Amino acid sequence: MKIVLCCAGGFSTTMLMDNMKKIVHDSKKLDEADFEFKAIPVDLLNAEVEDTDVLVIGPQIAHKIDYIKPIIDPYHIPHVIVDKDTYGKMDGATVMKMVLIAKKKADMNK
């Protein structure tokens, strides 16, 4: 599963991505080989969208959802918008749960 984290510049999102990787690494249920993570600025989304399984949107660009949706909707890519509290805590576990739920819902609606 390719998870793309999208924010304004890609810097703080890299820290969240590292925490998400650690959650997967430490998990007894999840296999690291099943996951690929990438943190990008929103401006590069067009280049990454084709093989993305779930898009994680940082709170600092939540207002850009009207820009993002036309890019991801043709590919039927589920997305989650991380709230500022979860993001501020760099809570990788909560974001991974959000990602897995979004992916499962998307798969059920196919």
Side-chain angles (χ1 to χ4, degrees), residues 6 11 14-15 30 38 60 78 80 83 85 88 100-101 104:
C6 207
F11 304 112
T14 300
M15 292 189 299
L30 303 175
K38 191 154 195 180
Q60 67 276 53
V80 296
D83 65 88
D85 292 335
L100 295 172
I101 290 167
K104 188 170 219 160

Side-chain angles (χ1 to χ4, degrees), residues 3 5 16-17 19-24 30 37 54-57 79-103:
I3 301 167
L5 295 89
L16 179 60
M17 178 182 71
N19 286 344
M20 292 170 70
K21 285 180 181 178
K22 184 177 181 344
I23 295 301
V24 172
L30 303 175
F37 294 90
V54 179
L55 180 68
V56 177
I57 301 168
H79 69 281
V80 296
I81 299 175
V82 182
D83 65 88
K84 63 180 175 30
D85 292 335
T86 301
Y87 196 87
K89 293 180 206 162
M90 292 287 146
D91 186 350
T94 297
V95 178
M96 274 307 299
K97 286 178 194 164
M98 293 167 68
V99 163
L100 295 172
I101 290 167
K103 177 72 170 130

Side-chain angles (χ1 to χ4, degrees), residues 48-92:
E48 290 296 328
V49 72
E50 257 183 66
D51 56 348
T52 297
D53 292 303
V54 179
L55 180 68
V56 177
I57 301 168
Q60 67 276 53
I61 62 160
H63 67 280
K64 290 195 171 199
I65 194 69
D66 291 337
Y67 166 80
I68 294 168
K69 294 271 292 162
I71 297 171
I72 64 174
D73 283 353
Y75 297 95
H76 307 287
I77 298 169
H79 69 281
V80 296
I81 299 175
V82 182
D83 65 88
K84 63 180 175 30
D85 292 335
T86 301
Y87 196 87
K89 293 180 206 162
M90 292 287 146
D91 186 350

Side-chain angles (χ1 to χ4, degrees), residues 24-44:
V24 172
H25 174 77
D26 294 346
S27 171
K28 297 195 182 342
K29 293 183 178 179
L30 303 175
D31 184 350
E32 281 182 278
D34 294 336
F35 295 91
E36 176 188 348
F37 294 90
K38 191 154 195 180
I40 62 166
V42 69
D43 300 340
L44 298 180

